Amino acid sequence: MTKETAIKLFEQKQIRSLWSEEDEKWYFSIVDVIQVLIENDRPRKYWSDLKSKLLKEGSEVSEKIGQLK
């Protein structure tokens, strides 16, 4: 495992992450973060519902949000 694809631990749970040399930023899997924070069995469903709710409220959710392998 390299710095670019390191897995972080938070409260004993794994959070997938990716380091971008170009942007000099860390990117984290939102689904992994949601699973840790809300202790939900279905974080993908929660994230999908949250995105829908945000769109209905007029918030802008990036179209470039992809799913990590």
Side-chain angles (χ1 to χ4, degrees):
M1 182 178 322
T2 65
K3 175 184 176 184
E4 290 79 20
T5 59
I7 293 179
K8 309 292 182 230
L9 290 177
F10 179 77
E11 294 187 4
Q12 309 297 321
K13 307 260 171 115
Q14 294 184 349
I15 306 285
R16 292 170 289 170
S17 60
L18 177 71
W19 171 253
S20 171
E21 287 290 338
E22 183 178 323
D23 300 330
E24 295 185 354
K25 292 182 182 178
W26 281 102
Y27 291 90
F28 298 93
S29 166
I30 189 67
V31 174
D32 292 353
V33 172
I34 287 170
Q35 187 168 21
V36 169
L37 294 178
I38 67 168
E39 300 177 357
N40 189 315
D41 309 5
R42 300 175 59 200
R44 290 188 199 287
K45 173 75 171 128
Y46 184 93
W47 175 235
S48 176
D49 291 347
L50 180 59
K51 284 192 301 184
S52 296
K53 182 179 178 183
L54 289 172
L55 288 171
K56 286 179 188 175
E57 292 177 351
S59 296
E60 294 183 24
V61 179
S62 173
E63 294 292 326
K64 295 183 180 182
I65 296 174
Q67 183 172 332
L68 296 176
K69 293 180 180 179

